[in-house]
């Protein structure tokens, strides 16, 4: 009942010309894909071009951040209105790189999640522990605080629109993937927290993606775990063939 969702987070990569070439490659294989939900999240500068290219396909458009405010004097920020004008459907929020380098806290992630939901954009809310947390045995404590903080005060019925991405920070861009057992354990733990927050039904319907060095070689094993409902792919989403293989692993 939970449809697998594979999203490509391109991060700060791809000029417009490069984005065009990547999307042309993706469209050849994935334009009509409906059994897995496919999302691409280009940088803001390529959104308009990619949006136009995806108009006649099943591939959905996402972005990598959004302001918590509606409009006004917020230099450098991008609003929900601007994103919706480009037919953006998904917004990655609280990625560990934003938490780490730009000091985004759960408070701000939560404000953005609420704004996204209010404006009918679907948040992909990222959580995950750092290596030092895992080594100190604090994985659950850290992940629980992020889940409760980032998703505070969201009514149960709105969880249908939410995707959570579990991305252990030590596995991002490092080539070190969490084992499928390690990932499954945390995914089940996250679903348990959601159950406690908003009840069985919302928890059972919530899609939880894994992210962190997911690639064609390990995708099938990860995606076959009972609580892993998709992937948030960084490096391997920059190459059409790799991303297509990961999507196919989810079929
Ligand atoms: P990598 O797939 O490059 O490890 O990145 C994962 C990620 O951060 C996706 O948001």
């Amino acid at each position: 009942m939970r449809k697998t969702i594979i999203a490509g987070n391109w991060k700060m990569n791809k000029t417009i010309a490069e984005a065009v070439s990547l999307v042309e490659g993706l469209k050849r294989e994935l334009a009509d894909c409906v059994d897995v939900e496919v999302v691409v999240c280009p940088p803001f500068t390529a959104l308009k071009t990619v949006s136009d290219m995806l108009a006649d396909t099943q591939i959905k458009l996402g972005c990598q951040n959004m302001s918590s405010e509606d409009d006004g004097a917020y230099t450098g920020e991008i609003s929900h209105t601007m994103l919706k004008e480009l037919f953006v459907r998904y917004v990655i929020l609280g990625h560990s790189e934003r938490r780490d380098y730009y000091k985004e806290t759960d408070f701000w992630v939560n404000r953005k999640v609420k704004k996204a939901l209010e404006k009918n954009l679907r948040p992909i809310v990222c959580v995950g522990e750092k290596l030092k947390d895992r080594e100190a045995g604090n994985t659950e404590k850290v992940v629980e605080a992020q889940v409760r903080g980032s998703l505070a005060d969201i009514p149960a019925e709105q969880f249908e629109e939410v995707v959570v991405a579990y991305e252990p920070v030590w596995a991002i861009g490092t080539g070190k993937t969490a084992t499928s057992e390690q990932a499954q354990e945390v995914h089940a733990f996250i679903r348990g927290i959601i159950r406690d927050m908003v009840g069985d039904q919302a928890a059972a319907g919530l899609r939880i993606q894994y992210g962190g060095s997911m690639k064609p070689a390990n995708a099938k094993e990860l995606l076959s775990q009972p609580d892993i409902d998709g992937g948030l792919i960084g490096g391997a989403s920059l190459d059409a063939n790799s991303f297509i293989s990961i999507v196919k692993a989810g079929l």
Side-chain angles (χ1 to χ4, degrees), residues 9 11 92 95 97 167 171-174 211-214 232-236:
N9 174 9
K11 307 191 179 183
I92 298 171
H95 191 280
E97 287 146 19
E167 300 205 308
I172 296 178
T174 58
S213 299
M214 196 157 166
L232 185 54
I233 323 299

